[in-house]
Amino acid sequence: MVRLSVLSALVSGLCALANPLVKRASLQQITNSGISNPTNVGFYMYVPDKLAASPGIVVAIHYCTGTAQAYYTGSPYASLAEQYGFIVIYPSSPHSGTCWDVSSKASLTHNGGGDSNAIANMVTWTISKYKADTSKVFVTGSSSGAMMTNVMAATYPDLFKAAIVYSGVPAGCFVSASGGVDAWNSTCAQGNSIATPAAWANVVKNMYSGYTGARPKMQIYHGTADTTLLPNNYNETIKEWAGVFGYDYTKPATTEDNKPLTNYHRYTFGPQLQGIYAVGVGHTVPIQGAEDMKYFGFSGSSSTPATSTPATPASSAVPTKVATSAASTPTTGTGGTVAHWGQCGGIGYGGATVCVAPYTCTKANDYYSQCL
Ligand SMILES: *[C@@H]1O[C@H](CO)[C@@H](O)[C@H](O)[C@H]1NC(C)=O
Ligand SMILES: *[C@@H]1O[C@H](CO)[C@@H](O)[C@H](O)[C@H]1NC(C)=O
């Protein structure tokens, strides 16, 4: 029977080869996908050792000055992929800087030939190559990647089932009147782009005009002490998606204090929209990996609460440190120094400017420098 087991090992080896595939359990760049990639966005992915039979997909989009590699090491998604069997796609911005293009008409339009189009093409390629479960395709990102997450949800509502936004701006808020690609928009950053829910909803709907199908549910995190993308961007983002889904943004169905962490307030407007306003937290809110898994439905029950919570926070509300997330401590360190990933400069910024060793204060743009 030895011969039989050798044979079956050989057959399964050949099957693995026949699968077009990417090396497991490490970050891999896909260079021969053949997808249309009009803006030359870097295509990286992590396929876990323990890949599910019909895997889900999480698109994890890096912050400004970031890369696919930096978000891979600085966020918890790859280790969560091993736990839950999904594939992570890490797009890498092609722009100097390197923020995402969330300002050009091309990127703000379904199949418009911008960064959003390139990322969507990576998703459809991955769905087909890995026979992924299209009911488990999700997108998330931090800062510039959070802006892009809102843009992906608006331009490709047909692809994504849920989106989690860590400290972004509304889709279509960072527009460039002069048509600039990857342009900074200080009116929006400073929280001064204000519109009605109906007007914001039109901005979203115009990104994929004629589309009437389902849209991803949205979870929006923002810190009240964010001096890069001012906290009114939270309110405008909530208005935007409340407008799309027909919720009253002034009347959340449930309000939960100290959820998921102390001083965070979770507002559920309906099954499709949840806002988490993090009091005292700056730019960017730390990634809540375990909560993300609940929201995406990979673990436990969805974090959409069935009933309102008791007035006193449960002891589980005590913040736990996010284990693998280096990107999760953008706060001021001890002795007036700034921790890794924290903000250390920019117009309107009044905090510490010295980074803890060995990090260097690196300028992303006039409004934002970060300890990298
Ligand atoms: C910034 O974005 C707003 C919409 O949020 C837009 O009205 C404005 O023209 C943009 N500013 C520039 C300089 O393009
Ligand atoms: C934004 O939303 C938060 C949370 O609901 C609220 O506390 C705050 O007052 C709002 N800000 C504005 C300007 O409406």
Side-chain angles (χ1 to χ4, degrees):
M1 285 304 103
V2 170
R3 214 179 282 164
L4 191 59
S5 69
V6 168
L7 187 66
S8 68
L10 190 65
V11 168
S12 67
L14 284 173
C15 288
L17 282 178
N19 232 345
L21 295 185
V22 171
K23 186 164 175 263
R24 300 282 181 94
S26 62
L27 187 70
Q28 294 292 319
Q29 185 175 12
I30 314 298
T31 52
N32 57 353
S33 66
I35 61 166
S36 154
N37 190 341
T39 56
N40 204 23
V41 174
F43 183 5
Y44 293 80
M45 64 162 59
Y46 181 92
V47 180
D49 263 334
K50 296 186 205 121
L51 183 65
S54 180
I57 297 173
V58 173
V59 181
I61 310 181
H62 66 73
Y63 46 85
C64 195
T65 75
T67 57
Q69 290 88 339
Y71 212 50
Y72 163 68
T73 53
S75 72
Y77 299 110
S79 65
L80 292 167
E82 286 297 349
Q83 213 175 328
Y84 296 103
F86 58 80
I87 294 169
V88 191
I89 296 176
Y90 296 96
S92 213
S93 163
H95 308 288
S96 69
T98 60
C99 307
W100 291 97
D101 174 20
V102 289
S103 64
S104 77
K105 181 84 179 156
S107 199
L108 297 177
T109 304
H110 178 80
N111 290 348
D115 290 357
S116 60
N117 200 164
I119 294 171
N121 292 348
M122 293 171 193
V123 173
T124 47
W125 182 87
T126 306
I127 290 172
S128 117
K129 292 295 180 208
Y130 284 89
K131 304 197 170 21
D133 182 343
T134 55
S135 73
K136 293 182 188 162
V137 178
F138 308 108
V139 57
T140 185
S142 300
S143 189
S144 181
M147 301 184 193
M148 195 59 178
T149 297
N150 275 319
V151 168
M152 293 312 298
T155 50
Y156 292 90
D158 50 336
L159 274 186
F160 299 103
K161 296 299 177 240
I164 302 177
V165 174
Y166 285 102
S167 309
V169 302
C173 190
F174 243 56
V175 294
S176 169
S178 58
V181 171
D182 178 32
W184 188 261
N185 182 308
S186 54
T187 308
C188 176
Q190 289 172 12
N192 293 327
S193 290
I194 293 167
T196 62
W200 278 128
N202 278 335
V203 168
V204 168
K205 288 173 183 168
N206 288 338
M207 291 186 195
Y208 187 3
S209 59
Y211 180 76
T212 55
R215 291 180 183 273
K217 62 176 184 174
M218 304 296 301
Q219 191 179 52
I220 313 298
Y221 282 90
H222 214 104
T224 64
D226 192 331
T227 53
T228 304
L229 303 175
L230 267 68
N232 195 44
N233 280 300
Y234 166 83
N235 305 72
E236 295 303 311
T237 306
I238 293 293
K239 277 160 83 176
E240 177 169 78
W241 294 111
V244 168
F245 295 120
Y247 302 143
D248 181 347
Y249 78 96
T250 66
K251 291 194 180 68
T254 44
T255 296
E256 299 166 283
D257 296 328
N258 299 307
K259 283 291 165 76
L261 298 177
T262 299
N263 292 333
Y264 286 43
H265 301 274
R266 187 158 69 194
Y267 303 97
T268 303
F269 296 87
Q272 300 273 101
L273 178 62
Q274 206 168 57
I276 296 159
Y277 204 49
V279 174
V281 176
H283 189 70
T284 309
V285 175
I287 295 170
Q288 305 298 313
E291 288 295 317
D292 291 0
M293 294 302 100
K294 285 191 222 164
Y295 196 68
F296 290 156
F298 287 117
S299 73
S301 59
S302 144
S303 60
T304 304
T307 53
S308 59
T309 47
T312 37
S315 56
S316 65
V318 174
T320 46
K321 204 150 173 60
V322 182
T324 55
S325 177
S328 67
T329 46
T331 45
T332 304
T334 49
T337 56
V338 181
H340 191 197
W341 309 106
Q343 183 175 6
C344 51
I347 295 170
Y349 174 73
T353 54
V354 178
C355 299
V356 295
Y359 304 106
T360 311
C361 191
T362 307
K363 180 176 171 176
N365 54 54
D366 288 348
Y367 296 88
Y368 193 57
S369 299
Q370 191 179 23
C371 290
L372 296 173

